Amino acid sequence: MITGKYPNLRLRRNRKESWTRRLVQENTLSPNDFILPIFLIDGSNKKESISTMPGVFRYTINRISQIVDKAIKKGIPMVALFPKTKNTLKNNLGTESLNENNLVCRAIVEIKKRYKNQIGIMCDVALDPYTSHGHDGLIKSNQIINDETIEVLINQSLLQAEMGCDVIAPSDMMDGRIGKIRKALDNSNFKNTQILSYAAKYASSFYGPFRDAVGSKSSLKGDKKTYQMDFRNSDEAIREVALDIKEGADMVMVKPGMPYLDIIKSIKEKFRIPVLAYQVSGEYSLLEAAINKKLIQRNAVYESLVSFKRAGANAIVSYYADRIDKILE
Ligand code: PBG
Protein backbone atom coordinates (compact mmCIF):
# COMPACT_ATOMS: atom_id res chain seq x y z
CA MET A 1 0.00 0.00 0.00
CA ILE A 2 2.67 2.57 0.99
CA THR A 3 4.50 3.60 -2.17
CA GLY A 4 7.45 5.50 -0.84
CA LYS A 5 9.05 6.75 2.29
CA TYR A 6 10.41 9.90 3.83
CA PRO A 7 12.16 12.00 2.57
CA ASN A 8 10.76 11.27 -0.94
CA LEU A 9 7.31 10.86 0.50
CA ARG A 10 5.88 13.72 2.53
CA LEU A 11 2.18 13.42 3.26
CA ARG A 12 2.10 17.05 4.32
CA ARG A 13 2.55 18.12 0.67
CA ASN A 14 -1.10 17.32 -0.08
CA ARG A 15 -2.13 19.45 2.89
CA LYS A 16 -0.11 22.56 2.11
CA GLU A 17 -2.98 24.81 0.93
CA SER A 18 -6.74 24.87 1.21
CA TRP A 19 -7.22 24.05 -2.51
CA THR A 20 -5.15 20.86 -2.30
CA ARG A 21 -6.81 19.79 0.92
CA ARG A 22 -10.14 20.21 -0.85
CA LEU A 23 -8.81 18.23 -3.81
CA VAL A 24 -7.92 15.14 -1.78
CA GLN A 25 -10.96 15.30 0.51
CA GLU A 26 -12.42 11.81 1.00
CA ASN A 27 -15.73 12.67 2.64
CA THR A 28 -18.12 15.58 2.42
CA LEU A 29 -21.48 16.51 3.88
CA SER A 30 -24.51 17.94 2.16
CA PRO A 31 -28.10 18.59 3.24
CA ASN A 32 -29.00 15.30 1.48
CA ASP A 33 -27.22 13.48 4.29
CA PHE A 34 -29.69 14.59 6.96
CA ILE A 35 -32.97 13.62 8.55
CA LEU A 36 -34.60 16.19 10.81
CA PRO A 37 -36.43 14.99 13.95
CA ILE A 38 -39.52 17.04 14.85
CA PHE A 39 -41.19 16.93 18.27
CA LEU A 40 -44.95 17.38 18.34
CA ILE A 41 -47.23 18.71 21.08
CA ASP A 42 -50.93 19.17 21.48
CA GLY A 43 -52.59 22.57 21.43
CA SER A 44 -52.26 25.41 19.01
CA ASN A 45 -49.78 28.14 18.16
CA LYS A 46 -47.04 26.79 20.35
CA LYS A 47 -43.34 26.43 19.75
CA GLU A 48 -42.03 25.19 23.06
CA SER A 49 -38.39 25.04 24.07
CA ILE A 50 -36.96 21.88 25.63
CA SER A 51 -34.75 22.60 28.63
CA THR A 52 -32.51 19.56 28.14
CA MET A 53 -32.02 20.29 24.42
CA PRO A 54 -31.28 23.98 23.87
CA GLY A 55 -32.05 24.99 20.28
CA VAL A 56 -34.64 22.22 19.78
CA PHE A 57 -38.39 22.84 20.05
CA ARG A 58 -41.72 21.09 20.22
CA TYR A 59 -44.32 22.26 17.70
CA THR A 60 -48.10 22.16 17.63
CA ILE A 61 -49.57 20.82 14.38
CA ASN A 62 -50.61 24.27 13.20
CA ARG A 63 -47.04 25.51 13.63
CA ILE A 64 -45.35 22.54 12.01
CA SER A 65 -45.07 24.23 8.61
CA GLN A 66 -42.57 26.63 10.16
CA ILE A 67 -40.02 23.86 10.65
CA VAL A 68 -40.97 21.73 7.61
CA ASP A 69 -40.65 24.81 5.35
CA LYS A 70 -37.18 25.31 6.70
CA ALA A 71 -36.22 21.68 6.10
CA ILE A 72 -37.44 21.78 2.50
CA LYS A 73 -35.69 25.09 1.78
CA LYS A 74 -32.45 23.66 3.09
CA GLY A 75 -32.78 20.53 0.98
CA ILE A 76 -33.29 18.01 3.80
CA PRO A 77 -34.85 14.87 2.26
CA MET A 78 -36.83 13.61 5.26
CA VAL A 79 -38.28 14.50 8.65
CA ALA A 80 -38.87 12.12 11.57
CA LEU A 81 -41.92 12.72 13.77
CA PHE A 82 -41.94 12.22 17.55
CA PRO A 83 -44.99 12.97 19.70
CA LYS A 84 -45.13 14.20 23.26
CA THR A 85 -48.35 12.53 24.28
CA LYS A 86 -50.39 14.03 27.11
CA ASN A 87 -50.20 11.89 30.26
CA THR A 88 -53.97 11.60 30.35
CA LEU A 89 -53.83 9.79 26.99
CA LYS A 90 -51.25 7.25 28.14
CA ASN A 91 -52.17 3.83 29.49
CA ASN A 92 -50.74 0.37 30.05
CA LEU A 93 -51.48 -0.76 26.50
CA GLY A 94 -50.46 2.39 24.69
CA THR A 95 -53.80 2.48 22.87
CA GLU A 96 -53.28 6.09 21.77
CA SER A 97 -50.75 4.69 19.26
CA LEU A 98 -53.73 3.35 17.28
CA ASN A 99 -55.81 6.51 17.38
CA GLU A 100 -56.05 7.96 13.90
CA ASN A 101 -56.31 11.41 15.45
CA ASN A 102 -53.14 11.13 17.49
CA LEU A 103 -50.41 13.73 17.10
CA VAL A 104 -48.30 11.74 14.65
CA CYS A 105 -51.25 10.91 12.39
CA ARG A 106 -52.44 14.49 12.31
CA ALA A 107 -48.93 15.70 11.56
CA ILE A 108 -48.49 13.23 8.67
CA VAL A 109 -51.79 14.32 7.13
CA GLU A 110 -50.94 18.00 7.53
CA ILE A 111 -47.45 17.67 6.02
CA LYS A 112 -48.61 15.53 3.09
CA LYS A 113 -51.51 17.84 2.36
CA ARG A 114 -49.27 20.87 2.29
CA TYR A 115 -46.05 19.55 0.79
CA LYS A 116 -47.02 16.38 -1.14
CA ASN A 117 -43.80 14.54 -1.91
CA GLN A 118 -41.42 17.45 -1.51
CA ILE A 119 -40.13 15.78 1.63
CA GLY A 120 -40.26 12.27 3.07
CA ILE A 121 -41.83 11.43 6.40
CA MET A 122 -40.46 8.80 8.73
CA CYS A 123 -42.28 7.63 11.86
CA ASP A 124 -41.08 5.54 14.77
CA VAL A 125 -43.00 2.38 15.44
CA ALA A 126 -42.86 1.63 19.17
CA LEU A 127 -45.22 2.13 22.08
CA ASP A 128 -43.09 4.20 24.44
CA PRO A 129 -44.62 7.60 23.62
CA TYR A 130 -48.03 6.13 24.51
CA THR A 131 -47.53 3.78 27.45
CA SER A 132 -47.88 4.88 31.08
CA HIS A 133 -44.86 2.72 31.96
CA GLY A 134 -42.69 4.22 29.21
CA HIS A 135 -41.69 0.91 27.65
CA ASP A 136 -41.69 0.19 23.92
CA GLY A 137 -43.85 -2.91 24.31
CA LEU A 138 -46.68 -4.45 26.30
CA ILE A 139 -45.97 -5.78 29.79
CA LYS A 140 -47.20 -9.00 31.37
CA SER A 141 -45.85 -10.28 34.71
CA ASN A 142 -43.04 -7.74 34.55
CA GLN A 143 -41.89 -8.92 31.10
CA ILE A 144 -42.02 -7.04 27.82
CA ILE A 145 -44.00 -9.55 25.77
CA ASN A 146 -42.63 -9.88 22.26
CA ASP A 147 -45.28 -11.48 20.04
CA GLU A 148 -48.27 -9.67 21.53
CA THR A 149 -46.41 -6.38 21.14
CA ILE A 150 -45.80 -7.10 17.44
CA GLU A 151 -49.55 -7.37 16.86
CA VAL A 152 -49.95 -3.78 18.09
CA LEU A 153 -46.90 -2.60 16.14
CA ILE A 154 -48.41 -4.04 12.94
CA ASN A 155 -51.54 -1.98 13.48
CA GLN A 156 -49.50 1.10 14.34
CA SER A 157 -47.51 0.63 11.10
CA LEU A 158 -50.63 0.14 8.98
CA LEU A 159 -52.22 3.24 10.47
CA GLN A 160 -49.14 5.38 9.80
CA ALA A 161 -48.87 4.04 6.24
CA GLU A 162 -52.54 4.78 5.66
CA MET A 163 -52.06 8.36 6.85
CA GLY A 164 -49.27 8.78 4.30
CA CYS A 165 -46.09 7.97 6.17
CA ASP A 166 -43.33 7.10 3.67
CA VAL A 167 -40.89 5.28 5.91
CA ILE A 168 -41.97 3.05 8.76
CA ALA A 169 -39.22 2.90 11.37
CA PRO A 170 -39.67 0.23 14.04
CA SER A 171 -37.53 1.31 16.99
CA ASP A 172 -38.90 -1.17 19.51
CA MET A 173 -36.34 -4.00 19.09
CA MET A 174 -38.91 -6.83 19.31
CA ASP A 175 -37.78 -10.04 17.56
CA GLY A 176 -39.39 -10.76 14.21
CA ARG A 177 -41.31 -7.53 13.82
CA ILE A 178 -39.79 -6.46 10.50
CA GLY A 179 -41.03 -9.56 8.65
CA LYS A 180 -44.49 -9.32 10.16
CA ILE A 181 -44.82 -5.60 9.46
CA ARG A 182 -43.56 -6.08 5.88
CA LYS A 183 -46.12 -8.79 5.28
CA ALA A 184 -48.95 -6.74 6.72
CA LEU A 185 -47.99 -3.70 4.63
CA ASP A 186 -47.82 -5.81 1.46
CA ASN A 187 -51.19 -7.40 2.16
CA SER A 188 -52.75 -3.98 2.58
CA ASN A 189 -51.38 -2.55 -0.64
CA PHE A 190 -48.56 -0.59 0.93
CA LYS A 191 -45.93 -2.37 -1.14
CA ASN A 192 -44.00 0.85 -1.65
CA THR A 193 -43.91 1.92 1.97
CA GLN A 194 -40.29 1.62 3.04
CA ILE A 195 -39.10 0.05 6.27
CA LEU A 196 -36.17 1.54 8.11
CA SER A 197 -35.31 -0.84 10.90
CA TYR A 198 -33.65 0.43 14.03
CA ALA A 199 -31.74 -2.85 13.83
CA ALA A 200 -28.77 -2.02 16.02
CA LYS A 201 -30.31 -0.03 18.83
CA TYR A 202 -28.45 -0.08 22.10
CA ALA A 203 -29.74 0.28 25.66
CA SER A 204 -27.99 3.60 26.08
CA SER A 205 -27.63 6.39 28.61
CA PHE A 206 -27.49 8.86 25.76
CA TYR A 207 -31.30 8.94 25.29
CA GLY A 208 -32.01 11.00 28.42
CA PRO A 209 -32.82 14.37 26.83
CA PHE A 210 -35.09 12.71 24.22
CA ARG A 211 -37.11 10.96 26.90
CA ASP A 212 -37.46 14.32 28.53
CA ALA A 213 -38.54 15.88 25.22
CA VAL A 214 -41.29 13.30 24.66
CA GLY A 215 -42.21 13.12 28.34
CA SER A 216 -41.41 9.45 28.91
CA LYS A 217 -38.54 10.05 31.32
CA SER A 218 -40.44 10.32 34.55
CA SER A 219 -42.78 7.49 33.66
CA LEU A 220 -40.14 4.94 32.57
CA LYS A 221 -40.00 2.07 35.04
CA GLY A 222 -36.69 0.24 35.03
CA ASP A 223 -34.54 0.07 31.90
CA LYS A 224 -34.82 -1.31 28.36
CA LYS A 225 -32.06 -3.90 28.58
CA THR A 226 -34.26 -6.92 27.84
CA TYR A 227 -34.93 -5.64 24.32
CA GLN A 228 -32.36 -2.99 23.39
CA MET A 229 -28.80 -4.25 22.88
CA ASP A 230 -25.96 -4.49 25.37
CA PHE A 231 -23.39 -1.81 24.48
CA ARG A 232 -20.58 -4.30 25.01
CA ASN A 233 -21.61 -6.26 21.91
CA SER A 234 -20.90 -5.92 18.22
CA ASP A 235 -21.34 -9.42 16.72
CA GLU A 236 -24.90 -9.26 17.95
CA ALA A 237 -25.49 -6.11 15.89
CA ILE A 238 -24.45 -8.02 12.76
CA ARG A 239 -26.95 -10.77 13.61
CA GLU A 240 -29.73 -8.24 14.19
CA VAL A 241 -29.05 -6.59 10.85
CA ALA A 242 -28.78 -9.90 8.96
CA LEU A 243 -32.19 -10.95 10.26
CA ASP A 244 -33.83 -7.63 9.48
CA ILE A 245 -32.50 -7.65 5.91
CA LYS A 246 -33.92 -11.15 5.43
CA GLU A 247 -37.23 -9.97 6.84
CA GLY A 248 -37.40 -7.11 4.34
CA ALA A 249 -35.80 -4.00 5.83
CA ASP A 250 -34.91 -1.43 3.16
CA MET A 251 -32.49 0.45 5.40
CA VAL A 252 -31.07 -0.02 8.86
CA MET A 253 -30.28 2.38 11.68
CA VAL A 254 -27.44 2.34 14.16
CA LYS A 255 -28.24 4.16 17.38
CA PRO A 256 -26.69 6.00 19.22
CA GLY A 257 -24.19 7.44 16.76
CA MET A 258 -20.74 8.60 17.75
CA PRO A 259 -19.99 5.95 20.38
CA TYR A 260 -20.96 3.32 17.78
CA LEU A 261 -18.99 4.30 14.68
CA ASP A 262 -17.37 0.85 14.68
CA ILE A 263 -20.82 -0.72 14.33
CA ILE A 264 -21.74 1.55 11.40
CA LYS A 265 -18.53 0.62 9.66
CA SER A 266 -18.82 -3.11 10.10
CA ILE A 267 -22.47 -3.21 9.03
CA LYS A 268 -21.68 -1.14 5.92
CA GLU A 269 -18.72 -3.31 5.00
CA LYS A 270 -20.55 -6.54 5.56
CA PHE A 271 -23.95 -5.84 3.99
CA ARG A 272 -23.51 -2.92 1.56
CA ILE A 273 -26.99 -1.61 2.29
CA PRO A 274 -28.17 1.88 3.24
CA VAL A 275 -27.02 2.44 6.81
CA LEU A 276 -28.32 5.40 8.77
CA ALA A 277 -26.87 6.77 11.96
CA TYR A 278 -28.76 8.49 14.76
CA GLN A 279 -26.84 11.25 16.49
CA VAL A 280 -29.03 10.99 19.57
CA SER A 281 -30.22 13.58 22.04
CA GLY A 282 -27.45 12.95 24.58
CA GLU A 283 -24.82 13.51 21.93
CA TYR A 284 -26.52 16.72 20.86
CA SER A 285 -26.87 18.05 24.41
CA LEU A 286 -23.29 17.14 25.25
CA LEU A 287 -21.95 19.03 22.24
CA GLU A 288 -24.20 22.03 22.91
CA ALA A 289 -23.21 22.20 26.59
CA ALA A 290 -19.50 22.04 25.80
CA ILE A 291 -19.81 24.66 23.05
CA ASN A 292 -21.85 26.99 25.25
CA LYS A 293 -19.26 26.69 28.01
CA LYS A 294 -16.62 27.48 25.39
CA LEU A 295 -14.85 24.21 26.14
CA ILE A 296 -14.83 23.32 22.45
CA GLN A 297 -15.39 25.24 19.22
CA ARG A 298 -18.64 25.01 17.28
CA ASN A 299 -16.75 23.37 14.43
CA ALA A 300 -16.74 20.22 16.58
CA VAL A 301 -20.30 19.69 15.37
CA TYR A 302 -19.16 19.50 11.73
CA GLU A 303 -16.31 17.22 12.71
CA SER A 304 -18.59 14.85 14.58
CA LEU A 305 -21.06 14.75 11.67
CA VAL A 306 -18.32 13.96 9.15
CA SER A 307 -17.23 11.05 11.33
CA PHE A 308 -20.53 9.32 10.50
CA LYS A 309 -19.81 9.62 6.79
CA ARG A 310 -16.27 8.35 7.26
CA ALA A 311 -17.63 5.33 9.10
CA GLY A 312 -19.92 4.60 6.15
CA ALA A 313 -23.31 6.08 7.06
CA ASN A 314 -25.53 7.14 4.14
CA ALA A 315 -27.45 9.63 6.23
CA ILE A 316 -27.64 10.99 9.75
CA VAL A 317 -30.62 11.70 11.96
CA SER A 318 -29.53 14.86 13.72
CA TYR A 319 -31.07 17.64 15.80
CA TYR A 320 -28.68 19.93 13.93
CA ALA A 321 -30.33 19.20 10.58
CA ASP A 322 -32.42 22.41 10.59
CA ARG A 323 -29.21 24.47 10.97
CA ILE A 324 -27.17 22.43 8.52
CA ASP A 325 -26.45 25.35 6.19
CA LYS A 326 -24.65 27.21 8.99
CA ILE A 327 -22.71 24.10 9.94
CA LEU A 328 -21.58 23.49 6.37
CA GLU A 329 -20.46 27.10 5.86
C1 PBG B 1 -38.25 5.33 21.18
C2 PBG B 1 -37.07 6.15 20.79
C3 PBG B 1 -36.04 6.62 21.61
C4 PBG B 1 -35.24 7.44 20.81
C5 PBG B 1 -35.79 7.43 19.52
N1 PBG B 1 -36.91 6.62 19.53
C6 PBG B 1 -35.79 6.47 23.05
C7 PBG B 1 -35.72 5.16 23.67
O1 PBG B 1 -35.56 4.13 23.03
O2 PBG B 1 -35.85 5.16 24.89
C8 PBG B 1 -34.04 8.20 21.28
C9 PBG B 1 -33.59 9.31 20.42
C10 PBG B 1 -32.67 10.26 21.05
O3 PBG B 1 -32.17 10.09 22.18
O4 PBG B 1 -32.39 11.28 20.39
N2 PBG B 1 -38.18 3.98 21.04
Side-chain angles (χ1 to χ4, degrees):
M1 260 282 276
I2 295 171
T3 52
K5 64 176 199 216
Y6 173 84
N8 336 32
L9 183 63
R10 290 174 185 268
L11 293 183
R12 285 186 57 194
R13 275 197 289 261
N14 283 344
R15 299 179 201 141
K16 69 181 177 189
E17 296 290 349
S18 161
W19 64 263
T20 168
R21 291 194 292 273
R22 279 187 283 132
L23 198 67
V24 299
Q25 214 160 63
E26 295 176 40
N27 291 285
T28 53
L29 279 177
S30 89
N32 287 335
D33 297 318
F34 290 90
I35 296 161
L36 173 69
I38 300 178
F39 292 112
L40 308 166
I41 38 163
D42 232 319
S44 71
N45 283 325
K46 273 191 280 181
K47 175 183 172 185
E48 197 173 83
S49 54
I50 301 166
S51 62
T52 52
M53 300 179 75
V56 180
F57 303 87
R58 302 183 191 97
Y59 297 83
T60 55
I61 307 286
N62 72 327
R63 280 284 199 100
I64 204 174
S65 61
Q66 187 183 339
I67 181 85
V68 179
D69 264 345
K70 216 167 148 188
I72 291 174
K73 279 207 189 84
K74 295 185 184 196
I76 306 285
M78 182 160 80
V79 293
L81 304 178
F82 296 103
K84 180 177 194 242
T85 308
K86 278 196 289 201
N87 279 334
T88 51
L89 295 174
K90 294 185 184 183
N91 59 30
N92 255 337
L93 303 174
T95 46
E96 177 66 6
S97 63
L98 304 180
N99 173 3
E100 63 175 50
N101 282 314
N102 71 23
L103 278 172
V104 165
C105 290
R106 279 187 281 140
I108 300 171
V109 170
E110 174 68 21
I111 295 170
K112 281 294 159 191
K113 190 174 78 194
R114 226 180 153 109
Y115 302 99
K116 308 281 185 300
N117 283 323
Q118 289 184 70
I119 194 157
I121 302 177
M122 142 186 172
C123 294
D124 258 35
V125 170
L127 301 184
D128 59 314
Y130 309 105
T131 50
S132 41
H133 45 70
H135 279 287
D136 295 25
L138 302 174
I139 301 184
K140 201 168 164 185
S141 331
N142 278 322
Q143 308 265 1
I144 309 297
I145 42 176
N146 195 86
D147 300 6
E148 294 83 345
T149 296
I150 294 180
E151 295 309 314
V152 186
L153 300 179
I154 289 173
N155 290 328
Q156 189 184 12
S157 304
L158 288 172
L159 176 61
Q160 291 175 355
E162 203 177 305
M163 294 294 136
C165 175
D166 302 289
V167 178
I168 300 289
S171 68
D172 54 287
M173 288 297 281
M174 297 301 116
D175 284 325
R177 87 280 204 217
I178 299 298
K180 292 212 167 184
I181 291 172
R182 182 71 271 163
K183 195 168 158 209
L185 289 171
D186 287 354
N187 287 340
S188 303
N189 248 324
F190 296 117
K191 292 195 174 60
N192 288 326
T193 303
Q194 288 148 277
I195 296 182
L196 160 58
S197 170
Y198 284 83
K201 179 171 180 178
Y202 287 86
S204 170
S205 296
F206 285 92
Y207 304 147
F210 174 95
R211 289 180 190 166
D212 195 50
V214 300
S216 67
K217 193 172 204 156
S218 47
S219 46
L220 181 62
K221 296 189 175 67
D223 56 50
K224 299 189 175 184
K225 289 181 183 167
T226 70
Y227 46 107
Q228 298 180 349
M229 283 180 50
D230 185 335
F231 54 76
R232 295 163 192 85
N233 299 350
S234 53
D235 287 346
E236 196 182 347
I238 302 291
R239 297 181 81 192
E240 284 284 359
V241 171
L243 284 171
D244 287 357
I245 295 172
K246 267 202 199 126
E247 291 177 29
D250 300 287
M251 309 175 243
V252 294
M253 180 85 83
V254 176
K255 181 177 168 200
M258 260 225 300
Y260 297 85
L261 295 177
D262 57 322
I263 306 297
I264 297 171
K265 189 173 168 89
S266 47
I267 292 173
K268 189 64 179 184
E269 282 180 348
K270 195 153 183 79
F271 299 105
R272 297 280 145 202
I273 50 159
V275 178
L276 275 53
Y278 201 135
Q279 182 191 47
V280 300
S281 56
E283 299 175 62
Y284 173 86
S285 299
L286 204 60
L287 279 166
E288 281 304 289
I291 293 164
N292 290 334
K293 284 197 178 131
K294 301 210 181 328
L295 300 173
I296 57 173
Q297 291 176 315
R298 186 152 283 281
N299 210 31
V301 172
Y302 179 74
E303 185 178 333
S304 68
L305 293 168
V306 168
S307 76
F308 293 111
K309 291 298 297 281
R310 219 175 46 236
N314 294 79
I316 308 152
V317 183
S318 171
Y319 300 100
Y320 286 110
D322 61 325
R323 286 153 277 167
I324 194 58
D325 48 339
K326 300 225 167 57
I327 292 165
L328 298 182
E329 253 166 31

